[in-house]
Amino acid sequence: MNFPAELKYTKDHEWIKVEGNVATVGITEFAQSELGDIVYVDITSLGKEVAKDEVFGTVEAVKTVSDLFMPVAGTVTEVNPALNNQPELVNSDPYGEGWMVKITVADAADADSLLSAGDYKTVIGV
């Protein structure tokens, strides 16, 4: 499994890439493999301030629905439009075209407390 070193991770299996005060958020390769085939991504938080660890949407697989948790506090400024017609991008490219939201980060330093790739691998037992 792939866990890019430049990203930060949560114990709830989200990843975040912070660039200045803008961050991109998605779910990890491990998360998508555990969920199976993703059939729908429902993100209703566009334009809203979302607190750290607050639910910002859901991802639906063939047999389950899972909440998506925000890694850091911020305002959702963009939802990946490609996921409306191609939710399977989360399975095929979770760190690239399968990203879920972009946010304006309230405090970029919040990401410092998240897991490194190595720490995340320890959490999931890889």
Side-chain angles (χ1 to χ4, degrees):
M1 279 194 194
N2 180 28
F3 304 103
E6 69 273 14
L7 305 178
K8 291 289 197 166
Y9 301 86
T10 71
K11 61 179 177 33
D12 296 311
H13 313 293
E14 283 81 25
W15 60 263
I16 184 169
K17 181 177 185 179
V18 179
E19 298 172 290
N21 70 337
V22 175
T24 305
V25 178
I27 64 170
T28 66
E29 185 174 352
F30 175 80
Q32 69 78 24
S33 71
E34 291 291 303
L35 288 167
D37 292 337
I38 293 174
V39 296
Y40 187 64
V41 177
D42 185 25
I43 298 171
T44 57
S45 54
L46 183 62
K48 296 180 181 171
E49 268 185 46
V50 183
K52 180 178 174 151
D53 298 327
E54 187 179 337
V55 173
F56 69 89
T58 58
V59 61
E60 184 177 335
V62 174
K63 296 183 180 181
T64 189
V65 175
S66 183
D67 286 334
L68 299 167
F69 297 96
M70 188 60 69
V72 298
T75 301
V76 178
T77 57
E78 188 177 347
V79 174
N80 185 346
L83 300 182
N84 289 332
N85 296 321
Q86 295 180 284
E88 67 275 7
L89 288 172
V90 176
N91 293 112
S92 63
D93 191 10
Y95 304 115
E97 293 191 19
W99 64 271
M100 296 190 167
V101 296
K102 291 194 181 201
I103 66 170
T104 300
V105 179
D107 183 357
D110 283 351
D112 294 342
S113 65
L114 298 174
L115 302 170
S116 67
D119 292 338
Y120 180 68
K121 287 181 189 177
T122 301
V123 167
I124 61 172
V126 177

